[in-house]
């Protein structure tokens, strides 16, 4: 089969890890007889440097005309001045809004092979297998009014958290549907003791809970959830949260898996259905890692597993997605470790060498 994929590496380690994701995609093409037409575009800091703005029309056209988008990450100290007029993150937020991808799905799984690399005790992380669903196009990161203004009493900065019932319901439905295909437990995270948005969130979650009566629903306050993620991580199945809480909790959850470099994500416009075709944005959960950018040591696994989610959810290629995940599992089983997951004193492989090993595992299986 033939597919069109937009590739937006972005900044820092974004292009480094995305290159390996692309190599894995091409290996899948060779092993399973598919043709992937790749179109590259700029976004974020590199786009500001080249074109003056973080998201240009050419990139927007790529979002509109391809079957799926493989993205790296944007941002970095170069574009971070507090008074900067244009910022890389504006491109990212505008891309998500343009694509309407309101559900960010982040699976967090602990590989038994990596138990020793985690900062948490093996008995705490044993059996961790959860999905964090983060609302991605609403709340504090988008709502108006926002900004800074001078007043006689000094500068005022403001951001607005706003959610409609519809925005809450559609992302919770994604969570309930995912839970249905898993262990049938949904944790709805809010701050209903303080925030009006959260009280509406909880009301909608409770209403949907009656409709999805086969799913065990629990409501947890975000501060308690932050603790429980470390105390009892294996008890979570699907966690659903609004944008800001989800951003923070999913990074915290990544620590369970030993490194954020391992974790993928899919941003979708609805409930993911394996085997069907629909657009989506796929990216590792990490940022541009300026501290290691350009050194060839970033872990590309998050990008590679994002490719697995992409072929499964946007291209309808279920078997191919499983083949990528199996290849990652095998390579970790052979003790291949990038620097972030290597044990102290043990050697490690480079970004490209990790890509080589996963590509080879796919070719061998194919
Ligand atoms: P980060 O995720 O870039 O890095 C956090 C830590 O994890 C760093 O020590 C980094 O070296 C390490 N790390 C991250 N990915 C890794 C990988 N693949 N392999 C090995 N180690 C890895 O977060 P940060 O340092 O808070 O942010 C850096 C920049 O990235 C900022 O400009 C931020 O705005 C941006 N950012 C972008 C996105 C995105 O584009 N989606 C997401 C988060 C942060």
């Amino acid at each position: 089969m033939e597919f069109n994929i937009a590739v937006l590496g972005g900044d820092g380690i974004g292009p480094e890890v995305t290159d390996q994701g692309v190599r894995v995609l091409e290996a899948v093409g060779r092993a399973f007889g598919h043709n992937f037409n790749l179109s590259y575009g700029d976004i974020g800091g590199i786009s500001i440097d080249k074109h003056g703005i973080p998201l240009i029309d050419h990139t927007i056209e790529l979002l509109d005309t391809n079957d799926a988008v493989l993205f790296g990450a944007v941002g970095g100290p170069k574009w971070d001045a507090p008074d900067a007029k244009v910022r890389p993150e504006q491109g990212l937020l505008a891309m998500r809004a343009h694509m309407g991808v309101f559900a960010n799905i982040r699976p967090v799984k602990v590989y038994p092979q990596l138990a020793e690399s985690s900062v948490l005790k093996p008995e705490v992380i044993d059996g961790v297998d959860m999905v964090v669903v983060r609302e991605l196009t609403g709340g504090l990161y988008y709502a108006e009014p926002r900004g800074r203004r001078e007043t006689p009493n000094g500068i005022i900065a403001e951001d607005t958290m706003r959610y409609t019932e519809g925005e809450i319901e559609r992302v919770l439905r994604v969570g309930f549907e995912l839970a249905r295909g898993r262990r049938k437990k949904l944790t709805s995270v809010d701050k209903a003791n303080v925030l009006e948005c959260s009280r509406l969130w909880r009301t909608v979650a409770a209403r949907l809970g009656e409709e999805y009566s086969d799913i065990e629903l629990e409501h947890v306050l975000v501060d308690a959830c932050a603790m429980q993620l470390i105390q009892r991580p294996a008890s979570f199945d699907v966690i659903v949260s609004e944008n800001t809480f989800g951003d923070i909790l999913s990074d915290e959850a990544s620590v369970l898996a030993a490194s954020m470099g391992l974790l993928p994500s899919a941003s979708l416009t609805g409930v993911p259905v394996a085997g069907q075709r629909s657009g989506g944005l796929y990216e590792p959960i990490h940022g541009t890692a300026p501290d290691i950018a350009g050194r060839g040591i970033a872990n590309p696994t998050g990008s590679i597993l994002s490719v697995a989610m992409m072929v499964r959810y946007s291209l309808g290629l279920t078997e191919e997605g499983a083949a990528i995940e199996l290849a990652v599992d095998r390579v970790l089983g052979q003790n291949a470790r990038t620097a972030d997951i290597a044990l102290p004193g043990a050697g490690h492989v480079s970004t490209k060498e990790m890509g080589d090993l996963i590509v080879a595992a796919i070719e061998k299986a194919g």
Side-chain angles (χ1 to χ4, degrees), residues 144-213:
E144 302 281 346
R146 60 192 289 115
R148 276 204 234 184
R149 60 200 147 88
E150 304 269 356
T151 76
N153 299 321
I155 299 171
I156 289 183
E158 66 182 330
D159 298 283
T160 302
M161 183 185 272
R162 181 183 303 113
Y163 272 106
T164 65
E165 196 178 357
E167 285 173 321
I168 296 171
E169 176 167 340
R170 66 185 183 178
V171 74
L172 277 163
R173 273 194 193 282
V174 170
F176 276 108
E177 292 291 337
L178 281 174
R180 209 165 240 177
R182 294 173 47 93
R183 301 199 306 277
K184 296 192 168 41
K185 181 172 174 193
L186 185 97
T187 304
S188 171
V189 177
D190 61 42
K191 187 72 183 167
N193 53 342
V194 178
L195 297 174
E196 208 52 62
C197 282
S198 282
R199 281 192 275 274
L200 179 59
W201 181 282
R202 192 173 283 214
T203 306
V204 176
R207 170 165 60 75
L208 289 182
E210 286 170 22
E211 185 184 324
Y212 288 90
S213 54

Side-chain angles (χ1 to χ4, degrees), residues 30-72:
R30 288 190 297 277
F32 291 85
H34 303 303
N35 197 11
F36 298 106
N37 305 312
L38 306 173
S39 302
Y40 288 81
D42 296 327
I43 188 165
I46 187 169
S47 179
I48 293 174
D49 288 353
K50 283 165 76 172
H51 316 288
I53 51 172
L55 184 65
I56 55 169
D57 288 347
H58 171 254
T59 305
I60 293 173
E61 199 183 313
L62 294 183
L63 305 178
D64 292 341
T65 53
N66 282 278
D67 295 312
V69 180
L70 180 63
F71 168 62

Side-chain angles (χ1 to χ4, degrees), residues 14-26:
E16 299 173 33
V17 297
T18 307
D19 280 352
Q20 302 312 313
V22 166
R23 290 183 63 218
V24 163
L25 186 65
E26 286 171 338

Side-chain angles (χ1 to χ4, degrees), residues 13 73-76 89 92 260-261 283 286-292 298-299 340:
I13 64 166
V74 294
E89 293 75 14
L92 175 59
M260 27 170 42
E283 57 180 300
H286 59 75
T288 56
D291 51 338
I292 58 166
N299 189 342
D340 54 318

Side-chain angles (χ1 to χ4, degrees), residues 37-303:
N37 305 312
L38 306 173
S39 302
Y40 288 81
D42 296 327
I43 188 165
I46 187 169
S47 179
I48 293 174
D49 288 353
K50 283 165 76 172
H51 316 288
I53 51 172
L55 184 65
I56 55 169
D57 288 347
H58 171 254
T59 305
I60 293 173
E61 199 183 313
L62 294 183
L63 305 178
D64 292 341
T65 53
N66 282 278
D67 295 312
V69 180
L70 180 63
F71 168 62
V74 294
K78 185 176 176 192
W79 306 280
D80 249 2
D83 54 352
K85 294 273 181 300
V86 282
R87 298 179 161 278
E89 293 75 14
Q90 292 165 340
L92 175 59
L93 294 182
M95 171 168 70
R96 289 171 176 165
H98 181 84
M99 294 181 74
V101 285
F102 64 84
N104 179 236
I105 297 166
R106 299 181 170 196
V108 180
K109 187 176 129 181
V110 169
Y111 288 93
Q113 305 95 303
L114 294 179
E116 277 182 67
S117 304
S118 174
V119 291
L120 296 167
K121 291 180 190 147
E123 62 268 28
V124 173
I125 56 171
D126 184 35
V128 167
D129 180 3
M130 72 177 85
V131 177
V132 181
V133 181
R134 168 188 169 196
E135 200 290 325
L136 201 61
T137 53
L140 268 180
Y141 294 7
Y142 284 93
E144 302 281 346
R146 60 192 289 115
R148 276 204 234 184
R149 60 200 147 88
E150 304 269 356
T151 76
N153 299 321
I155 299 171
I156 289 183
E158 66 182 330
D159 298 283
T160 302
M161 183 185 272
R162 181 183 303 113
Y163 272 106
T164 65
E165 196 178 357
E167 285 173 321
I168 296 171
E169 176 167 340
R170 66 185 183 178
V171 74
L172 277 163
R173 273 194 193 282
V174 170
F176 276 108
E177 292 291 337
L178 281 174
R180 209 165 240 177
R182 294 173 47 93
R183 301 199 306 277
K184 296 192 168 41
K185 181 172 174 193
L186 185 97
T187 304
S188 171
V189 177
D190 61 42
K191 187 72 183 167
N193 53 342
V194 178
L195 297 174
E196 208 52 62
C197 282
S198 282
R199 281 192 275 274
L200 179 59
W201 181 282
R202 192 173 283 214
T203 306
V204 176
R207 170 165 60 75
L208 289 182
E210 286 170 22
E211 185 184 324
Y212 288 90
S213 54
D214 53 325
I215 309 294
E216 179 195 343
L217 168 66
E218 65 173 355
H219 304 278
V220 179
L221 294 174
V222 62
D223 35 357
C225 188
M227 283 196 321
Q228 292 170 12
L229 267 176
I230 302 298
Q231 286 169 334
R232 56 166 185 99
S235 72
F236 291 104
D237 181 14
V238 177
I239 295 177
V240 191
S241 180
E242 64 87 46
N243 202 340
T244 309
F245 299 160
D247 192 3
I248 297 165
L249 290 179
S250 56
D251 269 24
E252 186 192 356
S254 76
V255 176
L256 303 166
S259 167
M260 27 170 42
L262 289 166
L263 296 184
S265 84
S267 301
L268 305 176
T269 55
V271 177
V273 184
Q276 285 184 14
R277 291 182 71 164
S278 72
L281 171 65
Y282 297 85
E283 57 180 300
I285 75 150
H286 59 75
T288 56
D291 51 338
I292 58 166
R295 291 169 54 196
I297 59 168
N299 189 342
T301 310
S303 178

